[in-house]
């Protein structure tokens, strides 16, 4: 046993000792255990998803029934309902908060925070994260950031209302919209804290993956989940600071009268003194995070899906190296396509040409990933667990939503479609729903390891089918509305001649949204009920290869009671010809599977002997 | 009261779910399903996935055909006709790819559902296949980029010399439009000059301002290039004229532009659509506050002769705001404008026209 290993082991024993002495608050609240922190992120994410999704129902009601009387919402919304009508500024605040909450709190913190924390140490064979303390700080920064955002929902002038992209000058001037007063200040403070949280988390994920892999866990033996979390953390580390700078400069403009983003403004009967700033500069900075952010939420979901699709097809993931390669390519390209959000922002059209070219390149690695998933299913022996169904749903969304990105990435075609419902449909399917399905798939799949019990399959199936059909019913029709030219973030479509069609479709969308939202309570019930009363899980209920399934049913502090397992093979030896069973876990040496080894693997047995006996 | 109802409903729904869940568990135990590796649900789900694909594809086609009449409103600009064509070619490729990949996805999950005793095919990679499906999308993308780029370059190149120039300014929550008047030259502007009367901040000391006019609708000639000079005075707005396939942000401090050539007059469109009330519209597509959804403006496309007549008939802004102008302009610029009419003098408009005519002769 290496020195590092024995050290870790001793350390772990200490912890085991501490475990009983730890006061409740250190164990469950300010815990430094990655599994507890993951659950904290998960539960926070679920709560935020309910809030964020609930807000969307309010504005969907307004869109479907603009003439309805909303007096009945008065007990909840109070002054935001005037004479039975939703206040237009509050409508914008709802849209803004829905976007912010879903993108950052649910799909960034809820997804990466949960699964990077939970799976990285378990799948690479580590006792915990590189720094448990930073990890704990990361969660609590997120928590405080969430509390501040939540408070902003209840203040008199309302939360931020300039869209989740908070473009100045709208977001900088309280005269322009009431949400740009205190609401926007709280938004900026909350986001600043959120960025700190993301960076602390990301640093930890990267360090842990690089430094704490168990013996034999080379980079090319890492499960694709870990690759996805690792790449996601790098993207986050490089792009979130740019949002931080944008937020900081916006704070300066708002508070100290600087002119980074503001210029030549006359508002509320007054010419303001700002000169020489550029609103377009803010957009560049914002999207420099904003676009990588799409992949920050999507890549972990794709990683989770890779794992679940392989396990439940009982087949190796097709093109493991191509999957890594395409994730690296997507990560790289994600930094140089941001301005496709800005084709008609007034930036130089030559930039538009460059960004169109770069944007369409990103379709290639994305297509490779989709093809690889489909080929993994080919000639599999597929078991439809709820996790598998959600993963298949994700692949379907990834294709449907990804394809429409090809039209939007074409700057000439984007002129008409920019800021219409076509865009809303596109990113809700490919980024929102796909990532959300990845998150749900992950919860169903790793629930047994998180809580030692199984979630109920039947309720899972019901949840999947309502959600899958519901999501398509909500977002597919938006393409039609978008092609007809309906602009997004409109309080009502009654004012224009060209927006008089498709009112029936708007209502269908709203009804589908309500049903889909309601179906999430099936999940919530299943989740909460199963934590306490679910069927007891076994150590490896899905017959999976990765290391987390070698831990006890409920892994304690330090994850493995004995030594950390050594890794001898990649994570995808499913249905290997000649093998007794249809899976061979990563910790099984080739010397024990002589019947199924390929020639080059037999050669590795020599090296293996070295690993096992220590050099 | 409402809260009570909601909580009762929530409790009832939870109770029903709980019951369904318990009954299902008992059935499973009786059937012994929970001990088998894969139950009947697997078959049901596989079937449902396939059925989902077939039904939703049918629904997609059934709905899309009649709905297509509401798709892209008829394009009435030269570039719009071309981008529409590109949009539909791209969409055709995408729909083929969409249906094609989904056929594979959903038929594979159905065909390769779990069967006791079968072993999945160990198939970790195939370089030839992977190269093929990397290269094919790359080629398709390259073609799409090429045509997109050509079109984008054509749309964004500088407007032709003979373009009619119209200035449009976004503010919360309306558009304001200015024409350069007879001299075809806009007077300068500065946001510090804006007030309730001079809403566009026109520089009144600039001789070019004098004949600029601010109509309440945009009129443009059919078949001639039109250049929109776009700006905003408070927050970002975006000029969206759906029929012209025109969209460009209006940014405070950063003037933008977009040029296009209309191909159908409003009258022709009215006849074509059988809708005598039809009008080309401008909407705002960058969220700008409370009234974002109501920034409507009308564009009238006319035959060039009609347009010329309309243009010539427009009264300069300075004419109807003379008093205001004289109270604002520098001493030396006062000569540009006729002296203010005496407050008590009879028909004002007549006096105005006379004085402006006089001023014009003076200038020449």
């Amino acid at each position: 046993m290496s020195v590092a290993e024995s050290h870790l082991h001793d350390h772990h024993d200490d912890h085991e000792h501490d475990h009983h002495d730890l006061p409740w608050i250190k164990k469950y609240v300010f815990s430094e255990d990655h599994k507890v922190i993951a659950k904290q992120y998960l539960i926070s994410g679920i709560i935020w998803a309910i809030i964020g999704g609930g807000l969307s129902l309010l504005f969907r009601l307004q869109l479907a029934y603009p003439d309805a009387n909303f007096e009945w919402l008065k007990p909840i919304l109070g002054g935001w309902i005037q004479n039975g009508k939703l206040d237009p500024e509050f409508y914008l605040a709802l849209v803004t908060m829905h976007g912010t909450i879903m993108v950052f709190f649910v799909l960034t913190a809820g997804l990466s925070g949960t699964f990077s924390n939970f799976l990285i140490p378990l799948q690479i064979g580590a006792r915990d994260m590189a720094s448990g303390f930073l990890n704990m700080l990361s969660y609590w920064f997120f928590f405080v950031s969430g509390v501040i955002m939540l408070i902003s929902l209840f203040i008199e002038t309302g939360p931020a209302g300039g869209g989740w992209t908070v473009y100045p000058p709208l977001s900088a001037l309280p005269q322009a919209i009431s949400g740009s007063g205190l609401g926007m200040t709280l938004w900026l403070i909350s986001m600043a804290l959120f960025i700190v949280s993301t960076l602390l988390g990301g640093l930890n994920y990267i360090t842990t993956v690089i430094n704490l892999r168990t013996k034999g866990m080379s980079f090319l033996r890492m499960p694709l989940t870990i690759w996805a979390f690792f790449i996601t953390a790098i993207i986050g580390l490089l792009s979130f600071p740019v949002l931080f700078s944008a937020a900081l400069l916006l704070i300066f403009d708002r508070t100290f009268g600087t002119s980074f983003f503001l210029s030549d403004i006359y508002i509320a009967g007054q010419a303001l003194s700002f000169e020489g700033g550029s609103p377009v500069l803010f957009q560049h900075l914002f999207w420099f995070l904003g676009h990588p952010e799409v992949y920050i939420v999507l890549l972990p979901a794709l990683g989770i899906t890779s794992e679940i699709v392989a396990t439940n097809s009982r087949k190796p993931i097709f093109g493991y190296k191509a999957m890594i390669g395409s994730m690296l390519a997507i990560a790289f390209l994600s930094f140089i396509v941001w301005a496709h959000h800005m084709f008609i922002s007034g930036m130089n059209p030559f930039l538009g040409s460059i960004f169109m070219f770069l944007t369409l390149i990103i379709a290639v690695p994305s297509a490779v990933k989709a093809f690889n998933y489909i080929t993994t299913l080919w000639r599999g022996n597929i078991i439809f667990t709820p996790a598998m169904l959600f993963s298949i749903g994700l692949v379907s969304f990834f294709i449907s939503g990804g394809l429409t990105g090809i039209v939007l990435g074409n700057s000439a075609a984007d002129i008409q479609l920019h800021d219409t419902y076509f865009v809303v449909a596109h990113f809700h399917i490919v980024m929102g729903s796909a990532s959300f399905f990845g998150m749900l798939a992950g919860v169903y799949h790793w629930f047994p390891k998180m809580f030692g019990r199984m979630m109920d399959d039947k309720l899972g199936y019901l949840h999947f089918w309502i959600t899958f059909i519901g999501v398509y019913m909500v977002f597919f029709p938006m393409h039609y509305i978008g092609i007809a030219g309906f602009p997004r973030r409109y309080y009502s479509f009654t004012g224009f001649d060209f927006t008089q069609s498709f009112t029936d479709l708007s209502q269908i969308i709203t009804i589908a949204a309500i049903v889909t939202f309601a179906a999430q309570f099936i999940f919530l019930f299943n989740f909460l009920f199963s934590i306490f009363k679910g069927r007891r899980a076994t150590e490896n209920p899905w017959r999976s290869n990765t290391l987390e399934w070698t831990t006890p049913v409920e892994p304690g502090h330090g994850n493995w009671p004995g030594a950390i397992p050594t890794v001898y093979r990649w994570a995808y030896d499913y249905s290997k010809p000649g093998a007794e069973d249809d899976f061979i876990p990563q910790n099984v040496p080739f010397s024990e599977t002589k019947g199924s080894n390929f020639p080059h693997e037999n050669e590795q047995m020599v090296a293996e002997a070295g690993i096992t006996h220590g050099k | 009261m409402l809260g009570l109802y909601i909580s009762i409903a929530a409790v009832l729904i939870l109770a029903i779910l709980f019951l369904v869940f318990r009954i299902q568990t008992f059935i499973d135990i009786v059937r012994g399903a929970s001990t088998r590796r894969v139950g009947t649900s697997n078959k049901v789900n596989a079937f449902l996935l396939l059925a989902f694909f077939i039904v939703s594809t049918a629904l997609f086609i059934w709905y899309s055909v009649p709905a297509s009449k509401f798709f892209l409103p008829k394009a009435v600009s030269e570039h719009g006709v071309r981008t529409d064509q590109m949009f539909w070619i791209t969409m055709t490729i995408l729909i083929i790819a969409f249906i094609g990949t989904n056929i594979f996805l959903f038929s594979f999950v159905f065909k390769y559902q779990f069967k006791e005793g079968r072993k999945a095919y160990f198939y970790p990679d195939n370089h030839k296949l992977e190269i093929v499906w990397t290269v094919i999308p790359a080629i398709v993308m390259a073609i799409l980029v090429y045509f997109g780029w050509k079109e984008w370059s054509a749309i964004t190149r500088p407007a032709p010399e003979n373009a009619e120039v119209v200035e449009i300014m976004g503010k919360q929550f309306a558009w304001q439009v200015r024409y350069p008047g007879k001299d075809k030259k806009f007077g300068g502007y500065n946001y510090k000059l804006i007030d309730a009367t001079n809403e566009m901040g026109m520089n009144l000391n600039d001789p070019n301002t004098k004949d600029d006019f601010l109509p309440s609708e945009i009129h443009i000639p059919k078949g001639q290039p039109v250049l929109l000079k776009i700006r905003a005075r408070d927050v970002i707005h975006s000029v969206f004229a759906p029929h012209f396939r025109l969209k460009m942000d209006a940014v405070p401090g950063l003037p933008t532009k977009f040029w296009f050539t209309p191909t159908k007059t409003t009258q022709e469109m009215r006849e074509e659509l059988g809708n005598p009330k039809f009008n080309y519209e401008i909407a705002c597509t960058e969220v700008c506050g409370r009234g974002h959804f109501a920034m409507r403006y009308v564009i009238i496309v006319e035959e060039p002769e009609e347009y010329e007549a309309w243009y010539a008939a427009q009264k300069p802004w300075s004419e109807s705001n003379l008093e205001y102008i004289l109270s604002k302009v520098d001493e030396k610029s006062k000569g540009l404008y006729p002296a203010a009419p005496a407050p008590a003098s009879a028909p004002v408009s007549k006096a105005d026209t006379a004085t402006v005519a006089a001023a014009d002769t003076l200038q020449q």
Side-chain angles (χ1 to χ4, degrees), chain A residues 41 44 48 97 100-101 104-106 108-109 137-153 183 185-198 240:
Chain A
Y41 267 113
S44 316
W48 276 116
M97 283 295 117
T100 307
I101 290 171
F104 294 112
F105 292 174
V106 180
T108 305
L137 276 187
S138 161
Y139 174 75
W140 286 103
F141 267 105
F142 163 56
F143 185 84
V144 174
S145 131
V147 168
I148 291 172
M149 196 65 86
L150 194 66
I151 290 171
S152 85
L153 285 169
T185 306
L186 293 175
W187 192 95
L188 287 165
I189 295 170
S190 166
M191 283 316 297
L193 293 174
F194 182 83
I195 294 166
V196 173
S197 153
T198 312
F240 266 109

Side-chain angles (χ1 to χ4, degrees), chain A residues 176 266 272 319 322 344 349 375 379-382 384 416 418-419 456 458 465 480 490 497-498 529 579, chain B residues 18 21 28 42 45 64 112 114-115 118-119 121 124 130 133 152 172 191 233 247 249 281 284-285 290:
Chain A
Y266 175 91
L272 306 183
I344 56 149
T375 315
R379 292 184 66 182
N381 204 17
I382 302 168
F384 297 105
Q416 179 74 4
H418 180 85
D419 266 343
D456 184 67
K458 299 285 171 10
W465 280 108
Y480 297 83
Y490 263 36
D497 295 342
F498 75 96
F529 184 86
Chain B
F18 181 70
F21 174 73
D28 282 352
N42 215 54
N45 278 311
S64 299
Y112 301 109
F114 180 85
K115 281 198 187 70
R118 192 180 69 197
K119 203 164 186 181
Y121 176 46
E130 288 172 72
W133 69 40
W152 174 251
Q172 284 183 325
Y191 80 102
R233 72 174 207 195
K247 193 179 286 151
D249 282 4
E281 295 172 306
C284 179
T285 49
R290 171 178 290 271

